[in-house]
Amino acid sequence: MRAGRIVLGVGLLLAVGGAAGLAAYGWRPAIDPIDPPTAASFDPALMRQGAELASVGNCGTCHTAPGGRPFAGGLALPTPFGTIYTTNITPDPETGIGRWSEAAFQRAMREGVDRAGRNLYPAFPYDHFTLVTDADNKALYAFLMTRQPVPARAPDNDLPFPLNQRFVLAGWKLLFLREGPYAPDPAHDAAWNRGAYLAEGLAHCGACHTPRNLLGAEETGRRFAGGDAEGWHAVPIGSGSPAPVPWTADSLYQYLRDGWHGQHGTAQGPMGPVADSLAGIPEADVRAIAGYVASVMGQPDADARKRGDALVAATANPAGPGTRPQSAGSQTIAPAATAPDPGAAIYAATCAACHESGRPSPFGGLDLRLSSAISGDSPANLIRIIRQGVPAQAGARAPIMPGFAASLSDRQLAALSGYLRGRFADKPAWSGLDAAIRATRDSEVAASAASH
């Protein structure tokens, strides 16, 4: 069904792009190359500002392949349409952006067109970056043009015809690109507008946390309603958040700043590098992003607040392994099974010692009644966390957890996941759990192959 919708969507894109594409090439000419500027030609303060902005945009993560040099590109980005490889954005004159003028860089950010006049694939999220101001683009340009040049050419994208023909992107832009820059909302204060500017622009939160249509564009009417990224489910960060304890601006700030929060768990998957990047930017900017996202989520209703408060109280004073209170407010926690249950046995052997230790995060496992991975609509994140674990971060005071990919079969993983859902979430059982486990395993294999 999904494949049929994609084919239909590509047909629509071709119809629009066929008409718009030829015209697009006519008014998007190449911009003349320049001699690579010297580092001394840039103001050091501007370079420092650009470094902070690059961290907000998480540029280094996307433009660095595993084991590769920073910003030299080559990272494989899987999409429903094929694999796209990120480009070299070091100032190498032959394979990077060394011969790009500032005007060429501005155009790529604002319009999604490279120096040679080619339309860029929206895996580079210029539908968000278009909101960035000229002044901030100038700072980003100064930072990138003073990195170490690295000669490295990205592999060719693995896309089927006709998506490997860039003229179809003209149709995509005609339908979905609304050029910026960001216009402040006079109904809100400066901090809210700063948060909106960063979250909607460089941080491109919606690129992961918003569902996409059959043409791969964000569904504007469902902003922050949850999406998918690299095999992980980017949970809703709007009113549909599955967090058992409602988020606040303060808890969002700590989560974004430190990569974990005691009542919400750790930032994993694509969110992990985001938190790592945000750790190096000014505190005021992280607070602004957190405040904006909290405002989008809105205030929880009285029932949600009551359930959250009761859950926080219950989990703050656990009675010890296996003897916890069996309810928190109106949220009932099923007791451990008395009949033989393979999921319960696996939990007791592999999980309970940490997750029922009573030690607070990060030294003890998260109380699983607080887990969004268990209470969410999709089992994808729980499956990946169990398989991959939570790796230790050098020098960081953060939670860790071993991965069980090598020790649990698919059947055991399904039994454990189903048990965790039934015991720790006041939600119905997941449907399609076996299929989700197979899809996770397949995506891990594909990602590993694409990176080699």
Side-chain angles (χ1 to χ4, degrees):
M1 176 67 72
R2 180 171 177 81
R5 293 181 65 205
I6 290 175
V7 169
L8 178 63
V10 170
L12 174 61
L13 198 61
L14 282 171
V16 177
L22 295 178
Y25 277 120
W27 54 267
R28 282 177 164 83
I31 293 177
D32 290 339
I34 63 169
D35 292 330
T38 64
S41 65
F42 294 101
D43 180 355
L46 194 65
M47 292 158 51
R48 288 192 295 271
Q49 179 189 353
E52 293 175 355
L53 293 169
S55 291
V56 173
N58 205 23
C59 305
T61 298
C62 285
H63 287 275
T64 304
R69 300 280 295 279
F71 302 105
L75 178 70
L77 296 178
T79 78
F81 310 98
T83 301
I84 293 174
Y85 291 88
T86 59
T87 55
N88 183 346
I89 55 172
T90 74
D92 179 69
E94 303 304 324
T95 63
I97 61 171
R99 297 194 180 278
W100 285 42
S101 64
E102 184 183 323
F105 181 79
Q106 292 268 11
R107 183 173 72 170
M109 294 287 286
R110 186 64 48 77
E111 303 177 28
V113 179
D114 71 5
R115 188 194 64 77
R118 300 183 309 163
N119 288 303
L120 297 172
Y121 287 98
F124 174 65
Y126 50 80
D127 51 334
H128 289 272
F129 293 167
T130 188
L131 299 177
V132 180
T133 64
D134 289 350
D136 280 351
N137 279 331
K138 184 180 185 71
L140 278 168
Y141 179 76
F143 170 73
L144 292 174
M145 296 301 278
T146 52
R147 299 309 88 205
Q148 181 66 37
V150 179
R153 198 175 299 278
D156 292 335
N157 295 325
D158 183 13
L159 296 169
F161 180 85
L163 297 179
N164 59 358
Q165 305 300 307
R166 292 180 183 255
F167 79 87
V168 301
L169 297 171
W172 191 93
K173 291 179 182 180
L174 187 64
L175 290 171
F176 304 116
L177 178 62
R178 301 294 177 264
E179 290 186 26
Y182 176 77
D185 185 342
H188 294 279
D189 63 17
W192 186 95
N193 273 290
R194 178 65 175 173
Y197 168 70
L198 294 174
E200 300 286 358
L202 270 176
H204 57 286
C205 304
C208 290
H209 289 278
T210 298
R212 293 182 178 271
N213 63 23
L214 55 83
L215 294 179
E218 294 173 29
E219 297 183 18
T220 55
R222 301 179 63 199
R223 187 173 58 122
F224 292 167
D228 296 290
E230 300 174 34
W232 292 76
H233 180 62
V235 299
I237 56 174
S239 59
S241 169
V245 176
W247 287 96
T248 66
D250 286 341
S251 59
L252 281 165
Y253 166 77
Q254 184 189 329
Y255 182 81
L256 293 174
R257 190 69 162 180
D258 299 335
W260 65 277
H261 187 275
Q263 295 172 2
H264 295 281
T266 63
Q268 293 298 302
M271 193 64 203
V274 171
D276 291 343
S277 294
L278 294 180
I281 72 169
E283 175 183 331
D285 281 346
V286 183
R287 288 200 179 277
I289 294 171
Y292 171 71
V293 173
S295 78
V296 173
M297 285 186 170
Q299 292 295 321
D301 60 33
D303 287 343
R305 189 180 301 110
K306 181 178 179 180
R307 287 194 301 269
D309 290 345
L311 187 54
V312 168
T315 57
N317 298 289
T323 60
R324 293 184 170 180
Q326 297 305 310
S327 68
S330 62
Q331 180 174 353
T332 300
I333 308 300
T338 54
D341 182 331
I346 296 168
Y347 171 77
T350 61
C351 313
C354 285
H355 288 284
E356 295 195 10
S357 68
R359 295 189 301 270
S361 294
F363 305 108
L366 179 74
D367 188 304
L368 294 179
R369 287 174 286 182
L370 300 170
S371 171
S372 293
I374 293 175
S375 62
D377 292 337
S378 168
N381 294 353
L382 178 64
I383 292 166
R384 284 187 175 269
I385 290 171
I386 294 173
R387 284 181 55 80
Q388 299 174 8
V390 179
Q393 301 179 44
R397 181 178 176 270
I400 60 173
M401 171 183 149
F404 296 94
S407 55
L408 293 180
S409 68
D410 286 1
R411 179 177 295 180
Q412 291 171 319
L413 180 55
L416 176 59
S417 300
Y419 171 77
L420 295 175
R421 176 75 164 184
R423 182 177 177 194
F424 295 106
D426 185 20
K427 300 288 180 66
W430 283 307
S431 61
L433 184 56
D434 291 338
I437 291 171
R438 289 194 299 271
T440 297
R441 187 183 293 277
D442 291 346
S443 70
E444 290 174 354
V445 171
S448 176
S451 65
H452 291 85

